[in-house]
Amino acid sequence: MNDSFFCGNLETLNDFLVGVRRLKIEVIKCHGSGNDFLLIDEWNNDYSFSEVERSHLAKALCSRDTDLGADGILYVMKSEHADGRMRVFNSDGSEASMCGNGLRCVARYICEYTQQDSALIETMKADLMVQREKDIYPEIPTYLVEISPVSFKAQDLPLNIDQESLLNEKLPTLTEEVSFTAVAVPNPHLIAVVNQQQLSSELQRELSEYVNGPNELFPDGVNVSFVKPLKKGEIFVRTFERGVGFTNACGTAMSASTLVSCLQELNEFEKPVEVYNNGGKVRCVAHRKGETYQIDLIGNASYVYRTTVEIDLRVPNEFKLTPKVEYVEEIERYAKLQEQVKEYLERV
Ligand SMILES: N[C@H](CCC[C@H](N)C(=O)O)C(=O)O
């Protein structure tokens, strides 16, 4: 009996004994306003990853040094009480309680799978309503997702300060240059309304890197957004995302920024606000009932390509891809939207 037989058997036996995890994982590369994700359907593919594997996969597959790369992974899972469940992991492997742009992509995936125009999706802290909307740009799949619960309590971010909340106030230990509002939707956001000079400076990067490193203020880190009012009903938002860095857009941040702009009377509750960003634009509507807030986030849910990742989960950085199958028309249509937004932002 030659060696290869034993090697083959030994390897198979060894694989079994050490629990090798060689898998072929179907992936859809998608994005909401240029905030891009790898969508993995655990539910219908029956992958059943461990907690550690989900985090390690996010770090390995989201790295921009690979043929994949993304801001995060969206795991679609079965829910015991809703139409589906979304878990979102940032590219650094950390799990977030919510992801607005990602939820629109999951909304599309679940609505198309169930052939419904609306659904209830379970997220870490809430079951959220999602629905298909009329395209805000021709032929670009558009979804509305509910962003809630909303809390201005510092402890809900958490933000360690000796006051209940931070509402358009200075954080002197951080900077004297701008005022901030802290809000959880329910992931944590620190938001400043700024002018063009402040937006163009290094201030946002410097303070974002500080509050997302070891610090007393935000022990879990925080998404940091600079908001520039364009005109009534229009804002521009740039976000340094916790667990990622600067992204083209951050859905929960754009929603929270819209809410803050209404509280500061730059925009109006119950009226649409066009939120421009480096990846395109979305529409938000902030709702207030007494002291309860909720935001509607409306925007694209675009697919870019499908591929299969061939991977051994024990060494997730060494993976192979099958040839990517692109959604060519969606890519072209979204590029037209981005061109229109870019031209507009150069004029406004
Ligand atoms: N980085 C965020 C999660 C992703 C949120 C963002 N991609 C969105 O669209 O809301 C956090 O750790 O809270």
Side-chain angles (χ1 to χ4, degrees), residues 32-87:
S33 208
N35 185 202
D36 62 351
F37 304 97
L38 304 174
L39 187 149
I40 296 177
D41 178 351
E42 281 193 57
W43 177 8
N44 298 295
N45 290 305
D46 203 17
Y47 293 139
S48 65
F49 300 120
S50 71
E51 289 306 297
V52 170
E53 285 170 343
R54 282 197 191 91
S55 175
H56 286 180
L57 270 174
K59 286 172 83 167
L61 304 187
C62 293
S63 165
R64 299 289 183 185
D65 299 333
T66 71
D67 287 343
L68 278 173
D71 293 329
I73 289 189
L74 306 169
Y75 293 100
V76 177
M77 304 164 78
K78 182 174 170 45
S79 167
E80 295 312 316
H81 60 269
D83 295 306
R85 181 183 176 198
M86 173 184 81
R87 290 182 69 180

Side-chain angles (χ1 to χ4, degrees), residues 116-134:
Q116 301 171 153
D117 276 341
S118 66
L120 188 69
I121 298 182
E122 178 187 348
T123 65
M124 186 187 289
K125 296 190 179 168
D127 296 344
L128 300 173
M129 190 282 292
V130 302
Q131 66 188 38
R132 177 83 198 246
E133 286 283 293
K134 91 172 148 32

Side-chain angles (χ1 to χ4, degrees), residues 170-206:
K170 289 278 193 307
L171 259 182
T173 51
L174 206 47
T175 175
E176 287 289 353
E177 282 195 56
V178 294
S179 297
F180 295 102
T181 297
V183 60
V185 292
N187 59 338
H189 290 273
L190 185 65
I191 294 166
V193 178
V194 300
N195 59 37
Q196 185 57 52
Q197 179 274 324
Q198 291 159 333
L199 184 66
S200 309
S201 74
E202 280 300 299
L203 177 63
Q204 184 177 14
R205 176 182 294 284
E206 288 160 2

Side-chain angles (χ1 to χ4, degrees), residues 35 37 90 96 98-102 187-188 223 241-242 244 250-252:
N35 185 202
F37 304 97
N90 291 310
M98 185 38 198
C99 176
N101 288 323
N187 59 338
N223 300 285
E241 283 198 42
R242 175 183 64 169
V244 192
C250 175
T252 47

